Amino acid sequence: MKGNVEAIITDFEKFIEFNEREKPALSAKQGVFGKKDSFKLNQILRYKKDVSGPNYNQDQYPVIDLLFSLVLDGRLYVRGNDENGKLALLKTSGMESFQSLNQYEKYVYLLQTYWTKYDFDGKFTRWMHITAFFNLLVTVANADEGQRIAKDERSYAGRLYSEGAAFFHHLRFFGLGELELIDGAKGRYEDSIKAFIPNEFGVEVSGFLLSKAFLYWNREDLPFLLSAMESKLSGKKDENLFDVFKSIFPKEFVKRTVIDETEFDRSGTYTFKVSLSKNLWRKIRLSHKHSLYDLHMAIQEAFDFDNDHLYAFYTGGNYRTGKPIYCPDTEREGVTTEEMRIVDLGLYKGQKMLYLFDFGDEWKFDVELVGIDKEALLPLKPAIVELKGKSPDQYNNDWSEREGSASRDGR
């Protein structure tokens, strides 16, 4: 397995070297590598996508997209604006700690990050449930070394061979086996994987993930899955994560992990542009210490609304695809808007959120971070600093600009 670990970490190091050398700008809308940079990086990786030109987005390069997620989820980089105001991946103190580790320690940290922090729920659609990946891991854990795992139309894992092909590439990246690819496959709904062939390490690690590490899997429906399985893994997650994951190698191989001693500095005075349409918006200034509840109240004041309905903020997409942060009155699980500070959102200049007010009438506001001033005095309370357009009638469902607004369906 030593050779595989070295190859895996080599690809990861190439990603880091590429970012430090090329300093690629991230796309303003998605905050990822553009087509040209994805193509250039693809050319130097071990498991490269067979392409002839820069015609694909980052998410169409399974390994690059995985590496990108790992550096962010592992807090080795954060998205931020560099000294020139360009959106980029900025190194954290965690990267220095990561680089001091040996090959096996780096591998353990990456696998731990993947299993416990990767956005598994967000990567699956309503038509391709995450259970498909679970079933694949069960199949691998019960397979023999070198056994071909081909598509079974009766299995829930069938969609992974087309829509979920990236997850096969993830398994290969982590050294769990090899892939047989289908030449010429291009469409998202077209099978691109012929078979997965696990190695001995892949069988062992799949079994480890489904037993010792199962309770730490980053998926929202884990309690439901445990109940459906009548699983005996009902204990509390009371072990140190590193102690759990380092057990995949002999103890003399893995002794240290990443220590991130300092947080990335996102303090300052934040200015948001909150828009209902091109010609109707307000700019609101507040401190990094303020909460989303404070921003909500400022928006209510700025648009002369009555604050008489429920609301939520959505990050990373619209209200169907983004991650919601609800007001306390919804009694949903998770951190509420009163608890979520602006600084803890990890925002960068140009990033957008969706603010949904009134779940019935669905007033949808684009909320764009237009600036972070680290030199200005922190405001004691949010302030409206600029505006355009007359506030609409909150109770007029036929407001003329709503249907034409770019904000109608969020970002």
Side-chain angles (χ1 to χ4, degrees):
M1 182 56 200
K2 182 178 179 180
N4 284 344
V5 168
E6 290 178 352
I8 292 160
I9 301 306
T10 296
D11 259 8
F12 192 78
E13 298 285 1
K14 287 180 179 178
F15 178 97
I16 295 171
E17 292 168 5
F18 176 84
N19 186 70
E20 295 303 308
R21 181 180 68 252
E22 301 290 334
K23 301 187 183 304
L26 306 182
S27 64
K29 187 174 182 180
Q30 299 294 332
V32 297
F33 290 155
K35 291 182 178 179
K36 290 184 179 179
D37 287 313
S38 295
F39 175 74
K40 290 171 64 177
L41 176 56
N42 178 67
Q43 297 305 105
I44 64 175
L45 296 178
R46 178 189 184 196
Y47 291 123
K48 57 176 64 69
K49 184 181 178 74
D50 185 15
V51 296
S52 58
N55 304 315
Y56 296 91
N57 296 320
Q58 177 184 296
D59 63 354
Q60 294 171 291
Y61 294 89
V63 173
I64 293 177
D65 203 47
L66 172 63
L67 295 172
F68 195 92
S69 294
L70 289 175
V71 298
L72 289 176
D73 294 338
R75 298 288 295 170
L76 304 180
Y77 283 100
V78 295
R79 289 188 182 96
N81 303 97
D82 63 17
E83 63 274 10
N84 299 316
K86 183 177 69 171
L87 180 59
L89 289 177
L90 306 181
K91 196 186 306 183
T92 71
S93 61
M95 178 60 78
E96 182 177 352
S97 178
F98 178 82
Q99 295 289 30
S100 70
L101 304 178
N102 67 39
Q103 303 286 309
Y104 294 95
E105 292 165 340
K106 289 178 179 178
Y107 179 94
V108 167
Y109 185 72
L110 294 180
L111 182 65
Q112 173 185 318
T113 297
Y114 177 68
W115 189 250
T116 65
K117 295 183 179 180
Y118 185 78
D119 185 15
F120 287 99
D121 292 298
K123 293 294 183 179
F124 284 86
T125 68
R126 58 181 295 192
W127 304 114
M128 187 183 66
H129 198 269
I130 192 172
T131 303
F133 188 47
F134 168 77
N135 288 340
L136 175 61
L137 290 176
V138 171
T139 302
V140 174
N142 289 284
D144 296 323
E145 177 185 0
Q147 178 182 334
R148 293 178 73 259
I149 300 175
K151 182 176 181 179
D152 181 351
E153 297 290 350
R154 300 166 297 177
S155 170
Y156 285 112
R159 289 185 180 271
L160 291 178
Y161 291 77
S162 54
E163 299 167 68
F167 289 93
F168 280 106
H169 290 274
H170 296 178
L171 296 185
R172 181 173 67 172
F173 169 79
F174 280 109
L176 308 193
E178 290 299 331
L179 290 179
E180 288 184 13
L181 302 176
I182 298 175
D183 295 334
K186 295 181 179 180
R188 176 183 176 184
Y189 302 105
E190 181 181 359
D191 285 355
S192 61
I193 306 297
K194 184 182 297 183
F196 179 72
I197 303 95
N199 53 34
E200 181 181 1
F201 183 71
V203 173
E204 292 176 358
V205 170
S206 296
F208 162 80
L209 294 175
L210 296 173
S211 55
K212 294 182 179 180
F214 192 68
L215 289 176
Y216 302 89
W217 194 4
N218 186 33
R219 51 182 293 178
E220 292 181 359
D221 66 344
L222 186 60
F224 173 79
L225 179 60
L226 287 169
S227 176
M229 294 168 54
E230 297 183 351
S231 174
K232 297 180 180 179
L233 302 174
S234 56
K236 295 182 180 180
K237 295 190 291 186
D238 55 359
E239 290 184 89
N240 179 281
L241 269 178
F242 175 58
D243 289 338
V244 173
F245 279 84
K246 71 179 183 181
S247 65
I248 63 175
F249 293 120
K251 60 182 180 180
E252 65 270 18
F253 285 28
V254 181
K255 298 179 180 179
R256 300 174 300 154
T257 189
V258 171
I259 300 175
D260 190 359
E261 297 179 346
T262 60
E263 288 293 324
F264 190 80
D265 182 16
R266 294 187 184 274
S267 63
T269 297
Y270 282 62
T271 301
F272 291 95
K273 182 178 180 180
V274 184
S275 307
L276 269 174
S277 73
K278 180 179 179 181
N279 298 310
L280 179 50
W281 49 263
R282 310 285 187 258
K283 286 187 179 180
I284 299 172
R285 186 170 295 160
L286 69 170
S287 163
H288 69 274
K289 297 180 180 180
H290 284 117
S291 67
L292 280 180
Y293 169 77
D294 296 320
L295 179 57
H296 152 72
M297 292 300 295
I299 296 172
Q300 292 288 302
E301 178 183 351
F303 286 90
D304 301 315
F305 277 24
D306 288 338
N307 188 31
D308 53 358
H309 289 282
L310 302 176
Y311 68 94
F313 287 87
Y314 295 79
T315 62
N318 58 35
Y319 79 108
R320 288 183 295 271
T321 62
K323 292 185 176 180
I325 304 171
Y326 292 102
C327 62
D329 292 336
T330 61
E331 298 183 352
R332 303 287 186 98
E333 292 184 359
V335 177
T336 68
T337 55
E338 289 185 353
E339 299 166 324
M340 178 61 74
R341 298 185 306 162
I342 299 299
V343 69
D344 295 327
L345 290 166
L347 300 176
Y348 51 83
K349 181 181 177 182
Q351 188 170 1
K352 294 183 178 181
M353 299 184 289
L354 171 70
Y355 167 62
L356 173 64
F357 175 70
D358 187 347
F359 296 165
D361 284 343
E362 293 189 347
W363 287 92
K364 297 177 183 145
F365 299 76
D366 276 345
V367 181
E368 179 183 358
L369 177 57
V370 296
I372 304 175
D373 190 342
K374 292 185 174 297
E375 304 299 326
L377 291 175
L378 297 179
L380 295 178
K381 63 180 183 178
I384 303 162
V385 296
E386 193 175 344
L387 57 85
K388 182 176 182 180
K390 181 181 178 181
S391 295
D393 181 351
Q394 176 184 345
Y395 304 104
N396 178 12
N397 293 336
D398 296 324
W399 177 56
S400 60
E401 289 195 77
R402 287 183 73 185
E403 291 299 327
S405 170
S407 304
R408 180 60 184 171
D409 286 321
R411 291 290 180 181

